[in-house]
Amino acid sequence: MQADLGARLRIADAMALAASMAGDTSTMLGAKLANLRFRIDPSGIFAFLGLIQSSRSKGEMRSIMLLSPFMSDEEIRARDAFKATGRERDDALRSMSALFSSL
């Protein structure tokens, strides 16, 4: 982002952008916060729920559930269990732009 905008992005703008992305499930940030497997907009979520509701058998429902955008509890636990090593954190801090490293 800084490569596109340079050092011109104000902190208030960055915070507004992050808040907007967090509430939008069609962004990677919003999808992660909503525990979704992939980015999907609200119309896609409603279409998926409609497919489930219209399924005629348990086999059909199982097939539809394979396409589910929603993470299972097991997937959420596995994702949340990841911890960066000290070296990974240090590398990330070194590569962070001056714009955000002071936060």
Side-chain angles (χ1 to χ4, degrees):
M1 183 166 43
Q2 188 179 7
D4 294 335
L5 299 174
R8 300 178 306 227
L9 187 63
R10 298 177 314 167
I11 190 66
D13 295 334
M15 291 171 62
L17 178 62
S20 177
M21 289 170 49
D24 183 358
T25 58
S26 65
T27 65
M28 289 301 290
L29 177 62
K32 182 175 180 176
L33 292 175
N35 293 325
L36 298 176
R37 290 182 177 144
F38 49 85
R39 297 178 298 148
I40 188 169
D41 63 355
S43 63
I45 293 172
F46 287 118
F48 174 75
L49 295 175
L51 279 174
I52 291 175
Q53 187 177 13
S54 67
S55 63
R56 301 188 201 320
S57 67
K58 287 189 178 199
E60 187 179 340
M61 184 179 284
R62 270 187 242 126
S63 296
I64 293 170
M65 289 305 290
L66 291 174
L67 305 172
S68 174
F70 303 105
M71 289 181 143
S72 67
D73 290 341
E74 184 177 309
E75 289 172 313
I76 294 168
R77 277 193 295 278
R79 181 198 67 195
D80 293 344
F82 172 78
K83 299 290 181 203
T85 64
R87 182 177 179 182
E88 289 171 327
R89 279 192 298 276
D90 292 342
D91 289 345
L93 286 172
R94 270 195 303 280
S95 67
M96 188 178 288
S97 72
L99 183 65
F100 296 109
S101 62
S102 63
L103 297 177

